[in-house]
Amino acid sequence: MSTEESLRGAKEFFEKIVEPNVHEYMNTASQFRTAINTVTALFHMHEWLWQFKKEELEMKYEKSFAKAGAFWGHIEMLVPSSKFIRDLANASKHVRLTLRSSTSMTHIANTVIQSTGYGMGSYGDGRYGGQNVMMKDNGTEVSLDGCVTDLMSFWKQLLGELYS
C-alpha cells in the first residue's frame, strides 16, 4: 500500500520543515549543516506565507506586497536580526554575496563556529560545550542563535494570528 504526503500550505511548511530544523539546530552542538538548514527554512517561510496568505498579510500590515521579496523587506523592518538569516541563507547558496546583501556579510566565510570552553558534545537536549555559530558584520560578531530565536518568535506569532 502506498501513501502520499504533501505540504499544503504555510502552516504545514512551518510545522514539518521550519520547526524541526530550528529544534535540531538549537538543541545540538553547533554544525554548519544544522545552521544552514535552519536559516534556509526560516528565510523561505516568507515565500510560503506570501503564496498562501498574501491577502491576509496585506490587510494586516495595510500594505501591498507585489512580490514575496517585498514582504521580506517588511519583515526585515519588523525583525532587524532577520537580515542575518537572509544573508546566511543566500551565502550558503551562492558562497559570495554580490547583490543587495542586507548586512556587511559578503561571503560564507563570514560565518564561523566558535568553540569557547568545554569542547564538542552534548548531553540530552541542549548545547553544552560553548559552541556558537557567529557571523561577522563590520567587525562585530553576531550570534546566529539570537537571530534564529527572533525570527522564530515572529513566525510563531504571525502564524497564530493568520491561522486562528
Side-chain angles (χ1 to χ4, degrees):
M1 175 179 185
S2 71
T3 61
E4 288 185 358
E5 183 178 1
S6 64
L7 296 171
R8 287 179 235 135
K11 188 174 182 196
E12 284 188 22
F13 179 78
F14 183 78
E15 292 171 346
K16 293 179 180 180
I17 306 299
V18 178
E19 281 185 316
N21 275 295
V22 169
H23 178 78
E24 183 179 15
Y25 169 75
M26 296 299 286
N27 291 295
T28 60
S30 295
Q31 306 170 46
F32 287 115
R33 178 187 60 80
T34 58
I36 289 170
N37 287 343
T38 296
V39 297
T40 300
L42 281 167
F43 175 60
H44 289 294
M45 183 68 206
H46 81 279
E47 295 181 36
W48 284 78
L49 278 169
W50 183 81
Q51 197 65 229
F52 289 96
K53 293 288 187 176
K54 180 180 183 285
E55 292 78 20
E56 291 95 326
L57 293 167
E58 290 177 337
M59 284 177 43
K60 174 179 174 47
Y61 295 114
E62 298 177 348
K63 194 172 187 170
S64 177
F65 301 115
K67 295 182 179 181
F71 175 48
W72 179 259
H74 189 71
I75 293 164
E76 284 188 359
M77 290 185 343
L78 298 173
V79 186
S81 61
S82 67
K83 295 173 182 180
F84 292 97
I85 300 291
R86 176 187 180 264
D87 283 356
L88 182 51
N90 284 330
S92 74
K93 179 180 176 184
H94 302 291
V95 181
R96 184 174 304 278
L97 300 177
T98 57
L99 300 173
R100 300 182 308 272
S101 64
S102 297
T103 67
S104 71
M105 290 177 59
T106 58
H107 198 281
I108 190 67
N110 293 122
T111 303
V112 298
I113 296 177
Q114 290 180 345
S115 295
T116 56
Y118 303 100
M120 300 207 32
S122 63
Y123 180 78
D125 281 349
R127 281 198 206 134
Y128 302 91
Q131 284 189 307
N132 294 302
V133 176
M134 304 296 287
M135 297 165 291
K136 298 178 187 210
D137 183 38
N138 282 329
T140 302
E141 292 184 336
V142 176
S143 171
L144 179 59
D145 290 11
C147 301
V148 167
T149 300
D150 292 347
L151 190 53
M152 187 65 171
S153 295
F154 176 79
W155 287 143
K156 281 183 179 180
Q157 181 178 341
L158 183 57
L159 285 166
E161 293 171 20
L162 295 173
Y163 286 93
S164 60

